[in-house]
Amino acid sequence: MAIPDYQTLMLPVLRLAAAGEQRVADAAEQIADDLGISPDEREEMLPSGRQRLLHNRIHWAKFYLSKAGLVASPKRGRFVATDTGRALLATNPTRIGVNELKDYEGFREFFSGQKSSDDDAVPVTIAPTVETGTPEEQIEAAYQAVQSALRADLLERIVQNTPAFFEQLIVDLLIAMGYGGSHKNAATQLGRSGDGGVDGVINEDRLGLDRVYVQAKRYAETTVGRPDVQAFVGSLVGHGATKGVFVTTSTFSSQARDYVKHLAQRVILIDGERLTDLMIEYGVGVRVSRRIEFKRLDEDFFSEE
């Protein structure tokens, strides 16, 4: 079965906590066994790849329960049900979620962000806006949405610009990635079309010990097929080249991608999605608008010697 959201996990987490002290890792294994979660699903990671999804959701279930006073942490890395938590379980609840936790004053204060010591404080909601996702999941989902919009904007602006602009963009990107050394010695400028089917050549290293031949096609929707790629490979053979990069703002057909897998030459196909990913990664055509730093509790600071 799919991994339940963190609210659905609150009741199983509280039940385990009522049975004795628990660790998140142990609770995750027990809950996974009880719910029939497969081994592959247990290993599923957050998009960042930094934490298992199940562990993350159990962590937040435990955290929210603690804000309601239903669980406590008697020692580092462990949690256990409080008397209040056991009293709630005694009512045989069928579900525990954010709405149920609002019955507890401590959670209401946490949920609204109000400070009881400051009557004039402006409430700031810090709980999830989509209550089925943990804060990390929502942050990462929002980040991916922003990245997706940025990729679309980049492609739109590239297609709207001139071929010369696109060719210069490729030079800027390759230089940012470490090829050629600098704009001055990047080798032959892209845009010298008609040179045997090659748009340009760039040094693979600062000394120019090897060269990469480049083809750039600025299309809005046209899929680049095998014939175009095959013609480019033929140009590489004519130049005695062994490495080439074919860049397009659109996509490559499956036949084109299959074709380059079995060549003596090393040919890399970069489609619009990959192009914009590289631009974002290497800071070409984009700039940082805001940095947000997240911090976690330093368990070592509070650990006993």
Side-chain angles (χ1 to χ4, degrees):
M1 65 173 292
I3 298 175
D5 62 75
Y6 81 103
Q7 291 192 82
T8 303
L9 290 169
M10 287 183 185
L11 184 53
V13 167
L14 183 57
R15 284 172 174 163
L16 281 178
E21 288 186 13
Q22 302 288 331
R23 297 188 309 124
V24 167
D26 296 334
E29 286 302 310
Q30 184 61 56
I31 290 173
D33 289 341
D34 293 342
L35 297 180
I37 297 174
S38 71
D40 288 342
E41 288 170 332
R42 299 181 195 209
E43 296 301 317
E44 184 179 348
M45 305 293 285
L46 289 169
S48 64
R50 295 181 179 178
Q51 188 179 20
R52 290 183 179 87
L53 180 60
L54 178 59
H55 287 212
N56 176 261
R57 291 182 177 178
I58 289 176
H59 163 79
W60 282 102
K62 173 186 73 72
F63 177 73
Y64 274 45
L65 291 170
S66 70
K67 289 301 179 182
L70 303 179
V71 301
S73 296
K75 62 182 68 172
R76 178 185 176 186
R78 296 182 179 273
F79 63 97
V80 68
T82 62
D83 290 341
T84 304
R86 296 174 189 277
L88 175 58
L89 288 176
T91 66
N92 295 317
T94 58
R95 172 182 169 80
I96 299 176
V98 168
N99 288 334
E100 289 73 24
L101 296 184
K102 288 179 181 177
D103 291 338
Y104 299 90
E105 182 180 356
F107 183 80
R108 287 198 301 272
E109 291 181 359
F110 156 76
F111 189 83
S112 66
Q114 291 178 320
K115 298 179 180 179
S116 58
S117 61
D118 185 357
D119 294 336
D120 296 326
V122 178
V124 179
T125 300
I126 57 176
T129 55
V130 180
E131 294 184 350
T132 57
T134 68
E136 275 102 339
E137 289 178 271
Q138 293 182 69
I139 290 168
E140 293 190 11
Y143 174 78
Q144 293 302 326
V146 171
Q147 292 294 91
S148 180
L150 177 56
R151 285 194 294 267
D153 287 342
L154 283 171
L155 278 179
E156 182 179 356
R157 295 297 293 271
I158 292 169
V159 172
Q160 290 174 349
N161 249 296
T162 65
F165 174 87
F166 180 49
E167 292 153 358
Q168 182 59 48
L169 183 155
I170 301 303
V171 172
D172 293 342
L173 178 59
L174 291 172
I175 296 302
M177 294 174 67
Y179 294 95
S182 69
H183 284 82
K184 183 177 180 179
N185 64 0
T188 307
Q189 174 77 27
L190 284 173
R192 300 187 180 182
S193 302
D195 182 17
V198 175
D199 285 339
V201 185
I202 191 166
N203 290 334
E204 187 175 22
D205 55 76
R206 291 177 180 270
L207 297 178
L209 296 175
D210 204 353
R211 290 184 170 186
V212 177
Y213 287 72
V214 183
Q215 179 85 317
K217 295 292 186 183
R218 186 179 59 99
Y219 294 136
E221 298 179 356
T222 304
T223 297
V224 178
R226 173 170 172 161
D228 289 323
V229 177
Q230 197 163 359
F232 176 55
V233 173
S235 301
L236 295 182
V237 174
H239 285 85
T242 60
K243 299 175 183 178
V245 177
F246 198 128
V247 187
T248 182
T249 51
S250 60
T251 58
F252 292 96
S253 69
S254 58
Q255 293 84 357
R257 293 190 178 279
D258 289 339
Y259 172 68
V260 300
K261 292 179 180 178
H262 309 290
L263 297 172
Q265 295 82 8
R266 178 65 170 166
V267 177
I268 302 298
L269 303 182
I270 299 178
D271 60 13
E273 182 177 355
R274 178 61 174 151
L275 171 63
T276 53
D277 282 342
L278 290 171
M279 290 176 65
I280 294 170
E281 180 179 354
Y282 289 95
V284 176
V286 299
R287 60 183 175 85
V288 175
S289 63
R290 179 184 300 177
R291 293 187 186 275
I292 302 175
E293 184 178 64
F294 295 92
K295 296 185 178 181
R296 291 185 180 276
L297 183 72
D298 184 353
E299 293 283 5
D300 292 335
F301 180 83
F302 293 97
S303 64
E304 299 179 0
E305 294 293 339

